[in-house]
């Protein structure tokens, strides 16, 4: 028997995911502009792997293929993971990471909507722990590169691990700005000296700061179209800024400016695209603020004092663990039960 | 400008109101028969007071109110009662209920009726008139109006008149306000008087400018000093009583709390109109305005006699052939009618003819991604995604902990859900399961009490029997010691101990004795088999005696305390 409501708003999970994918495009475009088209190979590779794994898992779990393959959620996981992996990473790295993210961290937990951890970040964590060396071969931005690989040469390296004669990998890759910062600080240099190195631009790393801005633009689009609410990105960025700001003020020689943290690594991607995964973030307004606060703080602590150059992935995963507790503790009062009446 | 308040959430579904506001309210044709449900209101079903074959007049009571919370049901026109039986009714349960079927004679012959000047009549009598006139809330809740027009326990400051009509498609209140604003306000004046309310706030959604203008003009024209017409923002479910009270007064009425406790009472505009007709003209509630819209040639509002079969009503608006179902109410909270043969009731504000073209079935539901769009729009400020989770897992305790019963089932959550999950159905399911379990728990508790009582009774009887036996033995022993019986022969003793026949005989004897005992207990006392007349006589005598005793006691108390009291 039919039951009300008889009408629904024409919105769908598929559309929401599609909009998030669209919002990633400015960042990706800038990525290609500054670092070359290798990232597109990673994205295509990850997308194909994600869809294939999703289909295989759905088949194994005896679920209908079409509604889930077209919900675009697997694609989103793939893109986010591809954007977190160095573009010159060998093809199997992308495949292993994506397949693990979809098969284990999504489907083994019950599929869409049931996974407690952000699948893309699980994929990233698995790769950086299992293959740390491969995860550090980041491309040098065009502006600094002495030699540049052509698209064909990039493909050759990704799929066959073959570089053109007389060229070593170090000639085309370099540590990320956050990595460089960490290493140089260990070597006893001050922040000012490090920031004078050619890898750094106005805000953070050359090229990578522009990519971050691209992701921020996409994020603002998501905010304006109300795909995401402001609570998570704003609270996250504010916490990161404030924490970095405090340390920077206390000791400017050892701690970089808050803006550097904003536009380095995956801060913007994390703020607008990773933390905001609805499945793995709290549902209450207050809970979202606590969650983002925790993620911001952990990100900074891992970056400044931890063993990994960037802390977004681990901060996200650690906060994912807390979500049920946060949700339970932040249940809002319902209509008419706030006391006072007015 | 009066400051307005906001309620949380809400949605803006397409209104579809223009279709049915193009022409004035039309009088629906007299149908071939009327199927009048005797349960058109909240509370006890009315008791039929007519017989099959009896001729009734228009306005004649055919169902008298039963108990405190009930309301009368009337013949909507003159004619002959052709059946009083269980029939499908316009109710979401889809279950049959007791109905009176009336075949109109076309004469529209009224019972004698006349009204009163409400200022000259005691409030109790006015409320009695409303009850006898069958006036109930016409906004959908169909609560008997006489029960709502008390203000004994709490001071009512504000009477809210609900003209918001937030559901899409429905325009019956809108058209009523446009055409009969004066009578609505006069009815509101009666209600204000009954409640001793200081002010009347008339809330109308701002997508009904004609209604707002008509009502404003009526307020000014008739000089209703305490009334104010207030345009409220168009936002579903802004016409929910609690939401409207919140918007107009800022007061939040929690679930399970009556708004009167917070000094506010709310009536629908159509109810106020009927109150006026009932008091001033003595007209019972025989018809109501029904919007017929959706998959029809010309959507329109009709004044419809209660009991008019839905089929015959929708035919007058040109129901299209591909219509698949009739929805009573709006598309957000309406119910799918079990049949087109059901009669229009006091709760029927709108009939939407539905086809799959108009309301396509939603695509299969996807898993919840916890996007919280539902929580964003929930006017009760619930966490629908959690409630869904608990309902699905049948974790009803947790669902109640998360305030399931604060859900007003407005459907805003299901409307926005990108996974197309029929959320409201999960909540209805959870609620009905919880009710069912409570009923079962109560039944189990009763059974347990009965069982325990039975056990104690058996135990007590056993004990009593043992005591009796002990006493008997004691007596026998005493007799023996007094006059020693001849000792039985040793052979006989041995035989008694060994012969199974003898023990069998003893057991049979014991059984016979038991049966006799039981028969003695079951033997009726001389007061048990009295005729009702005798019982009534006894009761009357007892009452007289009690009365006399009481009078004597009073007399004694008035003069001087009886000696016995002083010890």
């Amino acid at each position: 028997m039919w039951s009300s409501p008889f009408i629904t708003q024409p919105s769908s999970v598929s559309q929401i995911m599609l909009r998030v994918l669209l919002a990633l495009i400015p960042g990706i475009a800038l990525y290609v502009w500054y670092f070359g088209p290798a990232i597109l190979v990673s994205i295509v590779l990850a997308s194909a792997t994600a869809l294939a794994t999703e289909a295989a898992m759905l088949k194994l779990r005896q679920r209908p293929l079409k509604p889930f393959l077209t919900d675009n959620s697997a694609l989103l996981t793939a893109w986010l993971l591809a954007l977190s992996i160095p573009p010159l990473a060998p093809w199997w790295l992308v495949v292993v990471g994506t397949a693990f993210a979809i098969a284990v961290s999504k489907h083994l937990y019950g599929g869409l909507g049931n996974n407690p951890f952000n699948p893309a970040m699980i994929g990233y964590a698995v790769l950086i722990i299992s293959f740390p060396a491969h995860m550090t071969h980041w491309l040098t931005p065009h502006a600094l590169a002495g030699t540049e690989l052509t698209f064909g040469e990039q493909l050759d390296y990704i799929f066959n691990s073959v570089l053109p004669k007389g060229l070593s990998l170090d000639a085309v890759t370099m540590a990320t700005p956050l990595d460089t910062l960490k290493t140089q600080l260990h070597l006893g240099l001050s922040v000012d000296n490090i920031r004078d190195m050619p890898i750094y631009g106005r805000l953070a790393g050359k090229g990578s700061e522009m990519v971050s801005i691209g992701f921020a633009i996409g994020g603002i689009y998501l905010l304006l179209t109300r795909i995401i609410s402001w609570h998570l990105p704003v609270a996250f960025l504010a916490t990161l800024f404030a924490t970095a700001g405090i340390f920077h003020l206390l000791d400017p020689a050892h701690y970089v400016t808050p803006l550097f943290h904003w536009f380095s690594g995956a801060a913007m991607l994390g703020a607008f695209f990773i933390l905001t995964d609805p499945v793995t973030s709290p549902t209450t307004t207050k809970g979202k603020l606590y969650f983002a606060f925790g993620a911001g703080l952990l990100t900074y602590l891992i970056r400044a004092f931890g063993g990994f150059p960037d802390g977004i992935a681990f901060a996200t995963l650690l906060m994912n663990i807390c979500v049920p507790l946060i949700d339970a503790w932040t249940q809002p009062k319902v209509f008419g039960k706030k006391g006072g009446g007015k | 400008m009066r400051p307005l308040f906001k309620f949380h959430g809400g949605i803006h579904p397409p209104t579809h109101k223009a279709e049915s506001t193009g022409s004035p309210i039309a009088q629906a044709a007299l149908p071939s028969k009327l199927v009048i449900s005797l349960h058109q209101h909240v509370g006890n079903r009315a008791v039929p007071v007519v017989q099959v074959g009896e001729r009734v007049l228009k306005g004649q009571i055919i169902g008298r109110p039963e108990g405190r919370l009930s309301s009368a049901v009337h013949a909507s026109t003159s004619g002959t009662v052709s059946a009083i039986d269980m029939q499908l009714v316009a109710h979401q349960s889809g279950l049959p209920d007791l109905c009176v079927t009336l075949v109109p004679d076309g004469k529209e012959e009224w019972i004698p009726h006349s009204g009163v000047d409400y200022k000259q009549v005691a409030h109790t009598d006015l409320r009695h008139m409303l009850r006898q006139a069958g006036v109930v809330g016409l906004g959908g809740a169909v609560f008997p109006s006489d029960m709502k027009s008390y203000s004994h326990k709490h001071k009512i400051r504000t009477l809210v008149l609900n003209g918001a009509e937030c559901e899409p498609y429905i325009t019956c209140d809108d058209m009523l306000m446009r055409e009969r604003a004066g009578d609505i306000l006069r009815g509101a004046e009666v209600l204000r008087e009954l409640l001793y309310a200081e002010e009347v706030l008339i809330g109308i959604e701002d997508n009904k400018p004609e209604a707002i203008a008509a009502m404003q003009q009526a307020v000014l024209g008739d000089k209703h000093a305490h009334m104010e017409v207030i345009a409220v923002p168009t936002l579903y479910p802004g016409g929910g009583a609690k939401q409207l009270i919140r918007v107009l007064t800022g007061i939040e009425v929690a679930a399970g709390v009556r708004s009167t406790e917070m000094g506010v009472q709310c009536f629908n505009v159509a109810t106020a109109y009927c109150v006026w007709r009932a008091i001033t003209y003595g007209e019972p509630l025989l018809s109501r305005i029904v919007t017929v819209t959706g998959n029809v040639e010309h959507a329109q509002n009709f004044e419809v006699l209660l009991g008019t079969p839905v089929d015959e009503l929708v035919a007058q608006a040109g129901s299209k052939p591909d219509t698949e179902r009739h929805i009573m109410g709006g598309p957000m909270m309406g119910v799918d009618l079990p049949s087109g043969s059901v009669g229009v009731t006091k709760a029927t504000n709108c009939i939407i003819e539905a086809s799959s073209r108009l309301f396509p079935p939603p695509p299969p539901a996807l898993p919840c991604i916890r996007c919280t769009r539902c929580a964003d729009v929930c006017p009760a400020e619930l966490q629908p995604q959690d409630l869904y989770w608990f309902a699905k897992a049948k974790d009803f305790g947790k669902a109640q902990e998360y305030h399931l019963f604060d859900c007003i089932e407005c459907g805003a959550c299901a409307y926005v859900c990108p996974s197309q999950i029929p959320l409201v159905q999960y909540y209805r399911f959870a609620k009905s399961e919880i009710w069912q379990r409570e009923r079962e728990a109560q039944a189990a508790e009763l059974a347990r009490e009965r069982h325990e009582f039975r056990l104690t009774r058996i135990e007590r009887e056993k004990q009593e029997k043992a005591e009796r036996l002990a006493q008997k033995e004691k007596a026998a022993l005493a007799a023996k010691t007094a006059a020693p019986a001849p000792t039985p022969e040793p052979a006989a003793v041995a035989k008694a101990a060994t012969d199974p026949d003898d023990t069998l005989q003893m057991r049979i004897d014991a059984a016979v004795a038991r049966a006799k005992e039981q028969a003695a207990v079951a033997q009726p006392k001389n007061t048990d088999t009295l005729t009702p007349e005798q019982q009534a006589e006894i009761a009357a005598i007892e009452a007289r005696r009690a009365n006399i005793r009481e009078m004597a006691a009073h007399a004694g108390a008035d003069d001087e305390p009886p000696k016995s009291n002083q010890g």
Side-chain angles (χ1 to χ4, degrees):
Chain A
M1 181 139 152
W2 259 34
S3 168
S4 56
F6 300 101
I7 50 172
T8 53
Q9 202 176 37
S11 76
S12 65
V13 175
S14 165
Q15 278 173 359
I16 292 174
M17 299 283 177
L18 188 67
R19 290 226 180 144
V20 181
L21 289 174
L22 281 178
L24 282 169
I25 286 176
I28 295 172
L30 287 163
Y31 208 127
V32 173
W33 178 261
Y34 283 98
F35 295 93
I39 186 70
L40 296 177
V41 181
S42 296
I43 289 177
V44 170
L45 208 56
S47 301
T49 312
L51 288 176
T53 317
E54 179 93 1
M57 290 307 290
L58 287 169
K59 199 97 190 159
L60 280 174
R61 296 178 59 219
Q62 300 175 348
R63 295 286 194 283
L65 291 186
K66 200 186 158 217
F68 290 101
L69 281 180
T70 55
D71 70 16
N72 294 328
S73 66
L75 279 185
L76 185 56
T77 301
W79 287 30
L80 291 176
L81 181 56
L83 289 170
S84 314
I85 299 176
L88 264 197
W91 65 271
W92 53 266
L93 203 69
V94 179
V95 170
V96 166
T98 314
F100 192 90
I102 299 288
V104 177
S105 93
K106 184 177 176 186
H107 280 284
L108 291 194
Y109 281 100
L112 179 67
N114 293 305
N115 48 304
F117 300 104
N118 190 309
M121 291 303 99
I122 289 276
Y124 174 84
V126 166
L127 293 181
I128 202 160
I129 292 169
S130 314
F131 311 101
H134 290 95
M135 291 292 281
T136 52
H137 296 156
W138 292 88
L139 275 170
T140 310
H142 290 321
L144 302 177
T147 37
E148 268 184 61
L149 296 177
T150 63
F151 189 46
E153 287 165 345
Q154 285 181 345
L155 284 178
D156 211 19
Y157 183 74
I158 292 171
F159 287 99
N160 305 319
S161 300
V162 174
L163 281 174
K165 273 213 170 77
L167 210 59
S168 74
L169 195 60
D170 289 343
V172 289
T173 64
M174 60 191 296
T176 63
L178 278 171
D179 223 354
T180 310
L181 177 74
K182 204 159 205 172
T183 320
Q184 298 301 328
L185 280 171
H186 266 296
L187 295 176
L189 288 179
S190 80
V191 163
D192 281 343
N193 295 339
I194 301 168
R195 285 294 306 270
D196 285 339
M197 295 169 75
I199 179 176
Y200 294 107
R202 243 174 247 132
L203 296 165
K206 259 203 187 104
S208 63
E209 61 190 8
M210 296 311 289
V211 175
S212 287
I213 289 172
F215 289 137
I217 290 169
I220 289 164
Y221 162 78
L222 290 183
L223 281 178
L224 292 179
T225 51
R226 297 182 178 234
I227 300 282
I228 58 173
S229 70
W230 61 267
H231 307 86
L232 286 167
V234 169
F236 172 79
L237 291 174
T239 309
L240 185 62
F241 194 93
T243 323
I246 291 167
F247 279 98
H248 178 68
L249 284 178
L250 289 176
D251 188 358
H254 279 92
Y255 301 102
V256 282
T257 62
L259 276 180
F260 182 93
H261 276 284
W262 265 17
F263 293 98
S264 293
M268 287 298 167
L269 190 68
F272 292 104
F273 294 91
I274 293 169
L275 288 175
T276 51
D277 170 25
V279 177
T280 57
S281 61
T283 51
T284 62
T285 307
K286 239 194 234 169
K288 282 177 183 160
L289 295 176
Y290 292 156
F291 176 81
F293 169 77
L297 197 64
L298 283 172
T299 298
Y300 185 80
L301 295 178
I302 296 171
R303 279 182 175 185
F305 309 106
F308 293 95
D310 199 356
I312 302 282
F314 291 104
T316 307
L317 293 174
L318 287 171
M319 290 313 292
N320 284 163
I321 303 176
C322 308
V323 165
L325 195 64
I326 294 175
D327 272 344
W329 276 354
T330 55
Q331 283 300 313
K333 288 257 194 292
V334 305
F335 182 82
K337 296 200 177 150
K338 295 183 204 82
K342 291 206 174 187
Chain B
M1 270 300 276
R2 170 179 285 271
L4 292 182
F5 297 83
K6 278 198 172 108
F7 64 89
H8 182 264
I11 53 172
H12 290 102
T15 59
H16 288 285
K17 303 246 188 193
E19 289 96 311
S20 53
T21 52
S23 42
I25 298 169
Q27 183 67 48
L30 196 64
S32 63
K33 65 168 185 178
L34 294 162
V35 184
I36 304 169
S37 167
L38 288 169
H39 202 188
Q40 301 194 39
H41 47 264
V42 171
N44 297 330
R45 176 204 289 149
V47 177
V49 290
V50 287
Q51 252 108 54
V52 175
E54 188 178 332
R55 177 159 193 274
V56 291
L57 298 179
K58 182 169 183 150
Q60 182 179 334
I61 289 188
I62 56 173
R64 95 181 130 69
E66 168 82 354
R68 216 161 88 88
L69 184 60
S70 188
S71 192
V73 175
H74 305 77
S76 315
T77 184
S78 58
T80 313
V81 175
S82 71
I84 302 174
D85 57 0
M86 300 297 274
Q87 295 204 37
L88 284 178
V89 291
H91 189 264
Q92 56 200 7
S93 67
L95 296 172
D97 206 338
L98 196 61
C99 294
V100 173
T101 309
L102 185 65
V103 178
D105 57 14
K107 293 181 191 154
E108 294 271 341
E109 201 179 323
W110 269 93
I111 47 157
H113 63 284
S114 60
V116 296
D117 178 358
Y118 73 95
K119 287 188 176 142
Q120 311 293 326
V121 177
H123 287 183
T124 331
D125 295 333
L126 289 178
R127 279 190 283 269
H128 186 70
M129 281 180 78
L130 293 181
R131 177 175 157 100
Q132 290 301 316
V135 178
V136 299
L138 297 186
V142 285
F143 197 90
S145 296
D146 54 300
M147 296 291 292
K148 271 180 78 176
S149 48
Y150 279 99
S151 69
H152 290 175
K153 282 191 197 143
H154 306 278
K155 163 92 188 95
I156 306 287
R157 208 181 87 79
T158 308
L159 166 63
V160 168
L161 211 54
N162 189 344
E165 201 165 52
C166 61
E167 271 256 19
Y169 287 95
I170 309 177
T171 57
C172 58
D173 290 349
D174 184 1
M175 296 309 287
L176 188 78
M177 288 189 285
R178 291 190 201 187
E179 297 184 15
R180 304 176 196 176
D183 280 357
I184 294 173
L185 296 185
R186 283 172 214 122
E189 203 65 71
V190 176
L191 289 168
R192 190 182 75 80
E193 188 87 19
L194 283 172
L195 293 165
Y196 302 101
E198 290 166 22
E199 55 175 4
V200 182
L201 305 181
I202 304 154
I204 306 171
E205 278 197 343
D206 55 16
N207 62 354
K208 302 182 228 333
E210 292 93 340
I212 293 171
M215 293 287 274
Q216 250 157 2
Q217 210 172 355
V219 168
L220 295 176
D222 292 354
K223 300 195 173 61
H224 291 289
H226 312 278
M227 296 195 183
E228 191 180 341
V229 176
I230 301 158
V232 299
T234 300
L235 179 66
Y236 178 85
K242 290 183 177 185
Q243 279 66 43
L244 187 62
I245 288 171
R246 165 73 189 162
V247 169
L248 294 177
T249 67
I251 294 171
E252 283 192 8
V253 184
V257 175
R258 293 208 180 102
S259 67
T260 49
E261 290 174 31
M262 301 172 109
V264 193
Q265 185 61 292
C266 181
F267 282 93
N268 181 270
V269 284
T271 316
Y273 173 78
C274 293
V275 166
W276 179 248
R277 302 300 298 184
I279 298 293
T280 318
Y281 305 102
E283 274 177 25
L285 180 48
L286 303 181
S287 65
R288 66 156 299 149
I289 316 295
V290 182
T291 308
V292 183
T293 181
N295 197 33
V296 293
E297 298 292 346
H298 35 86
Q300 200 181 350
N301 281 278
F302 293 94
E303 174 131 27
V304 185
L305 292 181
L306 300 176
T308 301
V310 165
D311 279 340
E312 293 194 36
L313 172 62
V314 298
Q316 295 174 55
S319 180
K320 290 181 189 167
D322 63 332
T323 299
E324 288 157 14
R325 51 173 61 85
H326 319 284
I327 294 167
M328 182 174 99
M332 294 302 297
M333 293 184 75
V335 296
D336 192 14
L337 288 179
S339 153
S341 68
V342 301
V344 163
T345 71
K346 294 172 186 177
T348 311
N349 48 6
C350 178
I351 300 287
I352 304 178
E353 294 293 274
S355 66
S356 51
R357 188 175 46 78
L358 195 63
F359 299 133
L366 282 175
C368 168
I369 56 166
R370 304 184 1 124
C371 67
T372 63
R373 278 166 176 67
C374 48
D376 294 343
V377 301
C378 178
E381 295 171 64
L382 301 169
Q383 298 287 308
Q385 76 281 347
D386 290 335
L387 289 175
Y388 159 68
W389 187 265
F390 299 136
K392 203 177 166 196
K394 302 195 178 169
D395 189 350
F396 299 126
K398 205 82 173 142
Q400 270 176 289
E401 203 181 299
Y402 277 63
H403 311 288
L404 172 68
F405 285 97
D406 284 79
C407 169
I408 57 170
E409 299 181 23
C410 69
C413 52
Y415 178 77
V416 297
C417 180
S419 292
Q420 308 281 355
I421 301 168
L423 291 163
V424 186
Q425 292 182 36
Y426 280 93
Y427 309 145
R428 288 184 188 133
F429 161 73
K431 285 180 185 176
S432 65
E433 283 292 302
I434 290 167
W435 286 324
Q436 181 62 31
R437 281 176 189 203
E438 270 171 17
R439 273 196 295 273
E440 277 166 12
Q442 273 172 6
E445 177 66 19
L446 202 67
R448 189 184 62 77
E449 274 173 21
R450 275 196 193 134
H451 178 67
E452 277 175 3
F453 181 74
R454 184 172 169 271
L455 288 182
T456 49
R457 181 173 55 82
I458 289 169
E459 187 61 30
R460 196 190 63 217
E461 282 174 2
K462 232 190 234 165
Q463 243 172 28
E464 282 170 2
K465 206 166 159 188
E467 274 166 24
R468 271 201 308 275
L469 269 173
Q471 259 172 5
K472 246 188 219 166
E473 265 173 34
K474 223 164 131 188
L477 207 71
K480 222 159 87 179
T481 45
T487 45
E489 283 171 44
V493 173
K495 195 184 172 215
T498 52
D499 189 1
D501 281 352
D502 212 356
T503 48
L504 186 70
Q505 187 56 44
M506 274 167 64
R507 265 189 267 161
I508 291 170
D509 287 347
V512 170
R514 259 206 307 281
K516 272 186 187 156
E517 219 167 81
Q518 271 169 8
V521 170
Q523 197 68 230
K525 286 188 248 166
N526 66 345
T527 48
D528 276 354
T529 51
L530 295 176
T531 62
E533 288 84 356
Q534 282 172 319
Q535 274 172 356
E537 210 176 309
I538 290 169
I541 292 166
E542 283 296 336
R544 265 206 306 281
R545 279 187 190 150
N547 204 12
I548 290 164
R549 270 201 293 277
E550 199 172 332
M551 274 162 64
H554 275 290
D558 283 346
D559 297 330
E560 55 170 316
K563 289 232 157 73
S564 61
N565 271 9
Q566 292 182 330

